[in-house]
Amino acid sequence: MNDSPTAFLYDIHGNLVALEAVLADAEAAGVTSYLLGGDYSSMGPWPHETAELLEGLPARVRIRGNVERWLRERPEVPESVREFLATGLTAAREALGPELVDRFYALPEQAELDGILVCHGSPLSDIESFAPEAQQGEERLLAGESDRTILFGHSHQQFRRAGPNGTLLVNPGSVGAPLDGDTRAAWALYQDGDIAFRRTAYDVERAAAKMRSYGEWAEPIVYRIEHGRDAGSESP
């Protein structure tokens, strides 16, 4: 096991200023390595700059999220958000360039760290995830896993709880677009088998202003950044 702490970073979504603030916080905490859990650059203010910064990090684990997959595959989403996603993903592809798109797509879907299963949404899927409260039938999402810690993201909500079949479910939250009513960047610090949740303040208005510069299609993301939740939803 690594003696110095490792930072768990999920769902950064191109929010460079949030990432920079978290990296400074992590460095101050003695972090020397990272676990990167997917959804890195797309649908956010600074896709290419964020990708380049992440490329240089010493990562013990690096997996892809659904957005990295969607850069090359058709998103499985309702018709109502298809146009929004298509516009955002096109902007991301253009900003990243084919080499980075290919590199992201080639990342593994899952990995392990000290016996922890690392995935993006759940062991079953990168777009189906666990809720903060237990749900009926959620053992399906474990895809047969039991008696271990499951580390995941995707929902942008920081929580931990006991899961089915002797599992511990841990979501470090979203660095770039939290959806738990707190606009501060969410991440986790891992050391000696312990996972500690962290929040880091950053220049939210700078990120929102940059996102707004992309035009009307980006307004739902601007709202997320500014409010820590989606428009029309109630803060948890």
Side-chain angles (χ1 to χ4, degrees):
M1 196 174 289
N2 209 13
D3 290 335
S4 59
T6 297
F8 291 174
L9 310 184
Y10 271 79
D11 297 293
I12 299 156
H13 285 287
N15 193 336
L16 181 68
V17 291
L19 176 59
E20 288 174 337
V22 166
L23 294 181
D25 209 353
E27 186 178 344
V31 165
T32 57
S33 60
Y34 293 85
L35 179 149
L36 303 176
D39 281 14
Y40 300 122
S41 301
S42 304
M43 315 303 290
W46 293 277
H48 192 268
E49 296 89 340
T50 301
E52 286 200 323
L53 182 53
L54 289 169
E55 286 283 289
L57 292 183
R60 298 176 68 188
V61 168
R62 196 186 298 257
I63 64 170
R64 77 179 188 189
N66 59 291
V67 176
E68 281 76 52
R69 181 169 61 82
W70 286 350
L71 289 169
R72 293 270 301 272
E73 298 181 12
R74 181 180 173 88
E76 313 88 338
V77 295
E79 189 65 38
S80 58
V81 297
R82 200 173 292 281
E83 184 179 350
F84 161 73
L85 259 183
T87 304
L89 290 169
T90 297
R93 287 186 203 99
E94 291 174 353
L96 292 171
E99 185 179 336
L100 273 173
V101 167
D102 289 348
R103 201 176 309 163
F104 279 146
Y105 186 77
L107 291 172
E109 293 182 12
Q110 298 183 10
E112 286 201 19
L113 178 71
D114 299 339
I116 299 169
L117 178 64
V118 181
C119 53
H120 183 72
S122 66
L124 181 69
S125 164
D126 62 7
I127 58 170
E128 291 188 82
S129 197
F130 302 96
E133 297 82 31
Q135 305 291 309
Q136 188 172 3
E138 67 181 3
E139 61 270 11
R140 176 183 67 91
L141 299 178
L142 291 174
E145 295 290 341
S146 62
D147 301 308
R148 67 191 305 195
T149 297
I150 311 293
L151 186 75
F152 61 98
H154 187 62
S155 68
H156 298 208
Q157 297 187 57
Q158 188 182 68
F159 69 92
R160 88 179 78 209
R161 65 173 172 86
N165 304 339
T167 57
L168 175 66
L169 306 178
V170 180
N171 187 330
S174 168
V175 170
L179 291 178
D180 56 6
D182 185 340
T183 59
R184 295 175 300 165
W187 56 290
L189 199 62
Y190 172 72
Q191 188 171 27
D192 299 328
D194 179 63
I195 302 172
F197 287 159
R198 301 290 292 262
R199 302 301 289 242
T200 299
Y202 74 96
D203 192 343
V204 168
E205 285 312 311
R206 184 180 166 204
K210 177 66 174 177
M211 197 69 229
R212 191 173 279 115
S213 73
Y214 290 106
E216 189 177 343
W217 76 266
E219 281 302 317
I221 301 171
V222 173
Y223 192 96
R224 275 188 168 195
I225 291 170
E226 289 185 328
H227 295 86
R229 60 185 176 91
D230 283 328
S233 69
E234 301 224 352
S235 180

